[in-house]
């Protein structure tokens, strides 16, 4: 085989053993229905990855009906069982659902009566009934090397599936079938079978779209020959895809996915020599249509802005604050305190109140009650001054009636920090950043440094406090809230001067115990990059782009092509593949609805108009 061009994401599949049965949806029966039949929804077809499951194990349901659009999601009503063996149903895409079993239910059989339940929703379901058996010690097959295949640079590669006990299987290519909307992306070129491992060698099309791939193995037996059947493993296929050019090349921009599925990019700085509305700082917006793969011009903001902050409000509107710029057609730029709100229903911008303190390179967080917390930032001209004042925007339906409240000051003024809402603890966690103190009137009279402090905003009491925990000094880094309530902190750099070093070491902060611990190292120390979350599998995070400083004194840097990912299951970083452009200082649009996102513009020497998507749908 040629050089492997991909690595695998974190483990996705836990239990997928299937035995023979008479159920019409048993994959070994003649009535087996393929995955992702995207026809009419009058008959809802379901396929279960197993009818034998261990306590606390997982089975998967694939269907042709999008239950994520239902207010109650997918429901699986259980009969003839004293305790409900199902603890949680998690959508992994519109057509794939993870069903987690309760560990307390350790034996017995149960039936799902799908017919009666879905008749109330005017849906016919096939199968109408499904029988399950709980087995405390079933033979298990699981993906050893992960739940995802990255085909961005794929020419050939492999996927390992391992068993917890010895298996008997001929291992012929004819016994492997691929299905799902990504089946045209890959072909199985060879199989290597050992006592407890199946290795599939793949060849693929690097220009193929991503999607869900299901691998069907026919005739797998455990050594004792207790069972035989068809084993189904759902695998996600990911890819960086080159997107269309924006109408305007831009850097230092903002992006957001709207509730209606459109993607919007706004503001930023045009490439050298381009003057729009009297300046190179932009007020323009563009919409990206992921169906037609085209950008169209949207309504201009009231202000030209770069290095500003954006959030999506709970009602779907966008709120933008601060930055560097001015009103349209004003020639000069300054640090902005203005707020404006975009309404996607009316397609208009409206000006709101002003912040007390002008700022750029700051952060905003939407709170559970809909208000917006504004933290940190810098003044725009040398000598640079970091900002300590924290403010709260009280959001109302009419932007003109919104008000701004001063909360207090951070102990360490900062810009370029990271912050994240910890919903379970009721706090906003503010980590690191760059503190800059003015030492005199000249442009060079300031002292800037990365800081190691963590400050906390308590949502209930509206108060600020300083954590006793210290992180590795860093700014321009990332934070992600984990499913257990902890916060992953990664990336960034330590300085803007000759002692500059990339921060490879990730850390995890616990807001409940106010403690921090060192974690694994990134493969690349980077700043000004992008990170996307995939809400499938185990909260996988993909990190792309940015700058890496490579010399001891920090004077030399390169933009980064290689991407890496992190999995909450494995708690480590993987080399994933490569993005199509080594860019930095662009903007990105996360896709909360499907996972992944788009990287737009930025710099590779000159300012770019090109884009690329990283997604699996």
């Amino acid at each position: 085989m040629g050089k492997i061009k991909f690595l695998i994401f974190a483990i996705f599949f836990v239990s997928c053993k299937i035995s023979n049965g008479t159920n019409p949806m048993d994959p070994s029966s003649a009535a087996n229905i393929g995955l992702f039949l995207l026809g009419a929804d009058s008959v809802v077809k379901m396929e279960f990855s197993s009818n034998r499951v261990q306590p606390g194990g997982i089975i998967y349901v694939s269907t042709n009906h999008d239950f994520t659009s239902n207010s109650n999601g997918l429901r699986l009503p259980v009969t003839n069982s004293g305790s409900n063996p199902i603890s949680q149903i998690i959508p992994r895409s519109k057509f794939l659902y993870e069903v987690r079993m309760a560990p307390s239910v350790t034996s017995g059989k149960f039936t799902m009566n799908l017919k009666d339940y879905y008749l109330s929703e005017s849906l016919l379901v096939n199968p109408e009934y499904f029988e399950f058996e709980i087995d405390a010690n079933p033979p298990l097959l699981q993906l050893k090397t992960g739940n995802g295949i990255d085909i961005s640079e794929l020419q050939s590669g492999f996927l390992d599936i391992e068993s917890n006990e010895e298996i008997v299987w001929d291992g012929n290519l004819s016994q492997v079938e691929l299905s799902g909307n990504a089946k045209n992306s890959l072909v199985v070129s060879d199989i290597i079978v050992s006592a407890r491992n199946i290795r599939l060698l793949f060849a693929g099309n690097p220009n193929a779209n991503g999607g869900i791939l299901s691998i069907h193995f026919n005739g797998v037996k455990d050594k004792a020959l207790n069972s035989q059947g068809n084993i189904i493993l759902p695998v996600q296929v990911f890819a960086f895809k080159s997107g269309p050019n924006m109408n305007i090349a831009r850097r230092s921009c903002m992006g957001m996915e709207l509730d209606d599925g459109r993607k919007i990019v706004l503001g930023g700085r045009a490439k050298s020599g381009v003057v729009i509305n009297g300046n190179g700082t932009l007020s323009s917006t563009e919409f990206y249509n992921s169906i037609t793969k085209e950008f169209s011009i949207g309504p201009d903001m009231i202000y030209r802005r770069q290095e500003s902050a954006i959030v999506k409000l709970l009602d779907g509107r966008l709120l933008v604050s601060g930055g560097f710029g001015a009103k349209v057609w004003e020639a000069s730029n300054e640090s902005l305190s203005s707020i404006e709100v975009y309404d996607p229903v009316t397609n208009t911008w409206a000006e709101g109140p002003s912040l007390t303190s002008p700022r750029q390179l700051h952060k905003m967080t939407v709170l559970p009650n809909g208000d917006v917390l504004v933290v940190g930032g810098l003044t725009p001209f040398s000598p640079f001054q970091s900002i300590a004042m924290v403010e709260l925007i009280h959001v109302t339906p009419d932007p003109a009636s919104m008000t701004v409240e001063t909360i207090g000051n951070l102990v360490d003024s900062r810009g370029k920090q990271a912050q994240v809402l910890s919903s379970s603890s009721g706090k906003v966690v503010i980590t690191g950043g760059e503190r800059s103190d003015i030492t005199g009137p000249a442009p060079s009279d300031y002292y800037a440094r990365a800081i190691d402090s963590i400050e906390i905003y308590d949502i209930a009491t509206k108060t600020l406090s300083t954590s006793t925990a210290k992180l590795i000094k860093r700014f321009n880094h990332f934070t992600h809230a984990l499913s257990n309530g902890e916060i992953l902190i990664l990336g960034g750099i330590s300085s803007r001067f000759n002692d500059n070093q990339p921060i490879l070491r990730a850390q995890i902060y616990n807001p409940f115990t106010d403690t921090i611990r060192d974690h694994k190292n990134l493969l690349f120390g980077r700043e000004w990059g992008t990170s996307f979350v995939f809400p499938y599998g185990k909260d996988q995070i993909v990190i792309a782009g940015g700058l890496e400083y490579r010399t001891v004194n920090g004077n030399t840097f390169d933009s980064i092509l290689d991407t890496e990912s992190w999995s909450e299951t494995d708690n480590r970083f993987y080399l994933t593949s490569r993005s199509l452009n080594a860019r930095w200082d662009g903007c990105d649009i996360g896709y909360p609805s499907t996972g992944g996102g788009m990287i737009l513009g930025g710099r590779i020497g000159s300012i770019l108009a090109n884009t690329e998507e990283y997604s699996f749908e």
Side-chain angles (χ1 to χ4, degrees), residues 21 25 34-35 46 65 145 163 179 208 211-212 233 261 267 325 426 444 454 480 512 523 538 583 610:
M25 281 301 293
L35 294 176
M46 293 189 184
H65 184 78
T145 44
S163 175
S179 64
I212 290 287
L233 297 177
S444 60
I454 299 173
H480 288 281
F512 302 98
L523 306 177
K538 302 297 181 183
R583 71 180 82 214
N610 64 27

Side-chain angles (χ1 to χ4, degrees), residues 39 89 122 137 155 202 210 250-251 253 266-267 286 344 346 366 390 411 421 425 431 454 463 478 500 514 516 556:
I89 301 175
S122 301
N137 189 32
Q155 291 180 352
F202 285 98
R250 60 182 84 209
R251 66 168 177 87
C253 44
L266 52 158
E286 301 184 44
T346 62
V366 179
V390 176
V411 173
L421 172 65
S425 66
T431 63
I454 299 173
T463 56
F478 311 97
N500 180 14
D514 190 33
I516 195 168
T556 302

Side-chain angles (χ1 to χ4, degrees), residues 237-255:
V237 180
F238 302 87
F240 265 114
K241 300 285 291 182
S242 180
N245 282 356
M246 295 180 288
N247 291 283
I248 301 171
R250 60 182 84 209
R251 66 168 177 87
S252 304
C253 44
M254 301 169 285

Side-chain angles (χ1 to χ4, degrees), residues 80-130:
N80 73 312
S81 176
S83 300
N84 190 346
I86 297 176
S87 64
Q88 192 176 12
I89 301 175
I90 304 171
R92 293 309 183 194
S93 77
K94 294 178 181 178
F95 306 108
L96 182 68
Y97 299 81
E98 177 182 307
V99 181
R100 297 185 178 182
M101 312 306 291
S104 58
V105 182
T106 58
S107 64
K109 296 182 178 181
F110 62 94
T111 302
M112 291 182 186
N113 183 346
L114 304 176
K115 177 183 177 181
D116 293 344
Y117 182 82
Y118 285 107
L119 278 179
S120 64
E121 299 189 21
S122 301
L123 295 174
L124 299 176
V125 181
N126 186 354
E128 296 178 348
Y129 305 94
F130 199 94

Side-chain angles (χ1 to χ4, degrees), residues 9-150:
F9 283 158
I11 292 174
F12 185 103
F13 194 81
V14 175
S15 176
C16 52
K17 181 72 185 68
I18 290 183
S19 63
N20 278 330
T22 59
N23 190 288
M25 281 301 293
D26 189 321
S28 62
S29 74
N32 178 28
I33 297 176
L35 294 176
F36 303 106
L37 301 176
L38 303 180
D41 285 347
S42 56
V43 177
V44 178
K45 300 171 184 177
M46 293 189 184
E47 188 174 59
F48 294 82
S49 63
S50 175
N51 58 6
R52 292 177 64 199
V53 61
Q54 65 181 157
I58 292 174
I59 58 175
Y60 290 92
V61 180
S62 61
T63 176
N64 65 327
H65 184 78
D66 178 10
F67 287 97
T68 61
S69 60
N70 293 19
S71 58
N72 292 327
L74 173 66
R75 291 291 180 265
L76 298 174
V78 173
T79 59
N80 73 312
S81 176
S83 300
N84 190 346
I86 297 176
S87 64
Q88 192 176 12
I89 301 175
I90 304 171
R92 293 309 183 194
S93 77
K94 294 178 181 178
F95 306 108
L96 182 68
Y97 299 81
E98 177 182 307
V99 181
R100 297 185 178 182
M101 312 306 291
S104 58
V105 182
T106 58
S107 64
K109 296 182 178 181
F110 62 94
T111 302
M112 291 182 186
N113 183 346
L114 304 176
K115 177 183 177 181
D116 293 344
Y117 182 82
Y118 285 107
L119 278 179
S120 64
E121 299 189 21
S122 301
L123 295 174
L124 299 176
V125 181
N126 186 354
E128 296 178 348
Y129 305 94
F130 199 94
E131 293 184 354
F132 286 87
E133 180 180 353
I134 298 175
D135 186 343
N137 189 32
L140 299 179
L141 281 185
Q142 64 183 10
L143 293 181
K144 180 179 180 181
T145 44
N147 77 310
I149 302 174
D150 191 309

Side-chain angles (χ1 to χ4, degrees), residues 36 50 65 91 136 143 151 159 170 314 472 533 598:
F36 303 106
S50 175
H65 184 78
L143 293 181
I151 61 173
L159 187 70
D170 294 338
L314 299 184
I472 299 169
V533 173
M598 171 174 267

Side-chain angles (χ1 to χ4, degrees), residues 501-522:
Q501 292 294 309
I503 308 302
L504 290 171
R505 177 68 71 180
Q507 297 176 282
I508 294 179
Y509 173 72
N510 187 320
F512 302 98
T513 60
D514 190 33
T515 57
I516 195 168
R517 65 183 186 274
D518 283 353
H519 190 47
K520 307 294 177 60
N521 277 4
L522 282 164

Side-chain angles (χ1 to χ4, degrees), residues 518-561:
D518 283 353
H519 190 47
K520 307 294 177 60
N521 277 4
L522 282 164
L523 306 177
F524 297 89
R526 62 181 90 207
E527 65 152 343
W528 294 117
T530 295
S531 61
F532 297 127
V533 173
F534 282 85
Y536 315 108
K538 302 297 181 183
D539 296 322
Q540 296 173 100
I541 300 168
V542 176
I543 307 109
L547 295 177
E548 181 180 35
Y549 292 79
R550 299 182 181 275
T551 58
V552 174
N553 62 13
N555 286 328
T556 302
F557 59 83
D558 292 323
S559 49
I560 303 172
L561 270 172

